[in-house]
Amino acid sequence: MSGQNALINPTRDPYQLLQIVRNPDGTITRSLNIPETPPTFDPSLPISVLSKDILINQSNNTWVRIYLPREALDSSSHLKLPLIVYCHGGGFVIYSAASSHVHDHCVRLANELRVIIASVEYRLTPEHRLPAAYDDVVEALYRIKTTQDDWLTKYADFSNCFIMGMSAGGNIAYQAGLRVAAEADHLGPLNVRGLILQQPFFSGTQRSESELRLVNDPTLPLCVSDLLWELSLPIGVDRDHEYCNPTVGGGSKLLEKIRLLGWKVLVTGCDGDLLFDRQVELVKLLEDHGVHVVGHFGVGGCHGVDFHDSSRGKAFLEQVKNFILI
C-alpha cells in the first residue's frame, strides 16, 4: 500500500470498537466493562506488594496509587528504592489507575524491578482535553515532592525518579517530562533522571508507512487512532499539533533542557504496531538533539504486546531494569 489514501475498512466503527457513544454536549458514554481493583495496604496480608491511594486534587478527582514492595517494610536495610511515576494507557479516553489490568501491571513492575510505583489517576478526554492529563502528572510530581506520606518519605529515593507510561501514557510521560524539565529547579528534592516510553502514542497528518501497512490492524486500527486524537486534542487543531506529533518544527525547544539535565530516555516498540514509525522517529529526534536515548524495537507483535505475550513482557522488564541501572 502506498500514498496517503489509507484504505480504512468502512465497516469498522471506531466508536463501536471502543464501546463509547458521543453525547451532544461533547462528553462520551463509556460502556466498556472495565474491572477495578482497590488498593491493598494491610501489611498483615501475605502479598508481595502493598498499595494505597493519595489524593492529588480533590476538585479534579485526581490521585496517585503508591505501590510498595513488601520487602522494603521487612528489610533491615536503609537503602531506598527508585521511584517510577507511571501513566496508564487507554488512548487518553478510557481506563483508570484503578483498572485491574493497570493495577496488576504496576504490582508486577514494583515487584520485579524492586521500585516504588506512583500510578497517576489523570483526567480523561474528551471531557478534559489535552493538556489536562499532562498538567495532572506534573501536579502529581509536586504533590509527591511535598508529601509527608511515610511510604514515600521512608522508602523512596527521591534522587532517582523516572516518569514512565504505556501507549497514551507514554505520550503523557513525554509531554509531562518536557514540562518538568522546564521546572526542574523547583522540584527538589525530587530529581527526575529520565523517561520510560513503552510503545508511546503519537501520530501526524501525513500517514506513516506503518500506519498504511497496518491500517486495519485488529488491535489498534487507524480509524481508532484517528478518533482518539479527535477526542483528545484541543478543539480546532490537527494531528500536527505538538501534543500528537513531537517532530513538528524540529521538536520542542525543551529537548535542549532535557539534554543539559542529563536525562536518559528509553523508547520501546515493535514493527507490528501501527505506531512503530512514530516511535522510531521520536528516537531519531532525540538523537538529533543530543539526548541520551535507548531504543528497543522488536519484530512482529502488536500494540500492547508486552501485556499479552509473557516472553515479551519479561524482555521489556529486563530492558527497564537495565535502563534504570545505567
Side-chain angles (χ1 to χ4, degrees), residues 40-305:
T40 308
F41 50 84
D42 185 351
S44 68
L45 295 174
I47 53 177
S48 62
V49 176
L50 303 174
S51 56
K52 66 178 172 182
D53 296 341
I54 298 176
L55 182 67
I56 301 274
N57 186 317
Q58 188 168 6
S59 62
N60 289 337
N61 194 28
T62 55
W63 42 270
V64 62
R65 180 164 294 182
I66 309 298
Y67 295 84
L68 177 70
R70 181 190 188 85
E71 65 182 79
L73 292 176
D74 299 338
S75 174
S76 60
S77 169
H78 297 293
L79 188 66
K80 294 189 174 185
L81 301 178
L83 174 66
I84 293 180
V85 176
Y86 184 78
C87 313
H88 67 79
F92 310 108
V93 169
I94 55 175
Y95 301 140
S96 160
S99 297
S100 294
H101 74 283
V102 175
H103 178 91
D104 293 345
H105 182 57
C106 289
V107 167
R108 186 180 182 193
L109 288 172
N111 192 43
E112 299 199 18
L113 297 177
R114 292 192 72 252
V115 299
I116 293 175
I117 300 291
S119 178
V120 182
E121 174 74 349
Y122 56 81
R123 288 170 292 173
L124 299 179
T125 63
E127 293 83 0
H128 306 281
R129 288 179 176 264
L130 300 175
Y134 309 153
D135 295 338
D136 292 342
V137 172
V138 173
E139 186 176 19
L141 284 158
Y142 275 97
R143 176 72 175 87
I144 289 168
K145 87 156 193 144
T146 59
T147 186
Q148 297 302 310
D149 177 78
D150 60 341
W151 282 11
L152 291 172
T153 57
K154 287 183 180 179
Y155 306 112
D157 180 359
F158 278 18
S159 71
N160 194 12
C161 176
F162 294 85
I163 307 174
M164 174 179 179
M166 160 65 191
S167 188
N171 174 292
I172 294 169
Y174 178 78
Q175 297 290 351
L178 292 174
R179 288 159 169 74
V180 169
E183 304 174 16
D185 294 342
H186 304 292
L187 268 176
L190 200 61
N191 179 39
V192 175
R193 295 185 54 223
L195 309 174
I196 302 168
L197 313 179
Q198 183 182 14
Q199 293 187 285
F201 185 35
F202 294 105
S203 190
T205 56
Q206 294 291 109
R207 299 303 191 189
S208 71
E209 188 278 332
S210 61
E211 287 172 337
L212 295 171
R213 174 169 51 87
L214 297 165
V215 60
N216 292 311
D217 178 71
T219 304
L220 178 62
L222 189 59
C223 63
V224 167
S225 175
D226 285 354
L227 176 60
L228 292 172
W229 284 116
E230 180 186 335
L231 294 172
S232 302
L233 287 168
I235 299 292
V237 307
D238 62 22
R239 290 191 306 275
D240 277 337
H241 189 277
E242 62 181 321
Y243 297 164
C244 179
N245 185 351
T247 68
V248 167
S252 171
K253 291 181 173 58
L254 291 171
L255 290 175
E256 174 64 10
K257 181 68 171 176
I258 285 180
R259 183 188 71 81
L260 292 173
L261 287 168
W263 286 15
K264 53 188 180 180
V265 181
L266 173 65
V267 182
T268 70
C270 60
D271 66 6
D273 181 4
L274 179 89
L275 309 177
F276 173 70
D277 287 343
R278 304 295 180 181
Q279 296 152 5
V280 173
E281 288 173 0
L282 178 64
V283 170
K284 185 177 186 306
L285 174 72
L286 295 171
E287 288 175 341
D288 289 346
H289 282 265
V291 175
H292 178 188
V293 58
V294 177
H296 283 290
F297 297 105
V299 176
C302 62
H303 194 67
V305 67

